[in-house]
Amino acid sequence: MTSAQTIADTLGRRLAWWGGGSVVGGLALAVSSSERVRAFGLQSAGWGAIDLAIAGIGATRSKPVTSPSLRRTLWINTALDVGYVAGGAHLMYHRPSFGGRLTRDRSWGHGAAVVVQGAALLLLDAMHARQLESH
């Protein structure tokens, strides 16, 4: 197994753990009576489900991962993660209602969850991309 493959497998396991924790924790929070907490939970559970799907797809790949391809993908994802954090912060600060579909508290809760999820993905993606730089 190549070192890129080992890094990809480790990333996949970590993403699965994060995704699973986000789903379980998010669903637990989604039953809260607080609109903020409920929105945070629902948003977290949604991101967690997507993380689990991505980890599952990665675990079933048949082609070995190459270092240049994985490195490029992770650095692109890192840039996107910065955008997620910024977008979540925008929701928290400005609290848009999206035409009356969200209350200010829900907007804040969704934004806070996007910040947390984006920051976690930023950490995972950048950490694993840096590991590939040394291989």
Side-chain angles (χ1 to χ4, degrees):
M1 189 177 325
T2 67
S3 58
Q5 187 66 53
T6 301
I7 291 169
D9 291 343
T10 300
L11 172 59
R13 282 191 302 278
R14 288 175 174 163
L15 185 62
W17 276 105
W18 175 254
S22 294
V23 168
V24 171
L27 291 176
L29 294 174
V31 298
S32 172
S33 61
S34 164
E35 282 192 338
R36 276 188 185 192
V37 174
R38 191 170 50 252
F40 183 94
L42 290 170
Q43 188 71 234
S44 296
W47 279 72
I50 292 167
D51 292 341
L52 283 171
I54 292 168
I57 290 167
T60 61
R61 72 183 163 272
S62 57
K63 270 177 52 178
V65 174
T66 64
S67 192
S69 173
L70 181 58
R71 184 182 308 114
R72 182 176 53 252
T73 299
L74 289 175
W75 284 126
I76 290 169
N77 284 350
T78 298
L80 292 171
D81 298 336
V82 170
Y84 301 146
V85 171
H90 175 82
L91 285 175
M92 290 177 71
Y93 182 77
H94 293 286
R95 299 182 190 183
S97 68
F98 294 99
R101 292 186 300 272
L102 283 182
T103 65
R104 291 176 55 79
D105 281 344
R106 280 190 194 153
S107 188
W108 191 95
H110 284 295
V114 173
V115 168
V116 169
Q117 294 294 321
L121 294 175
L122 175 64
L123 177 68
L124 284 172
D125 291 336
M127 180 174 66
H128 290 92
R130 289 289 296 146
Q131 285 179 344
L132 286 166
E133 296 291 335
S134 63
H135 285 86

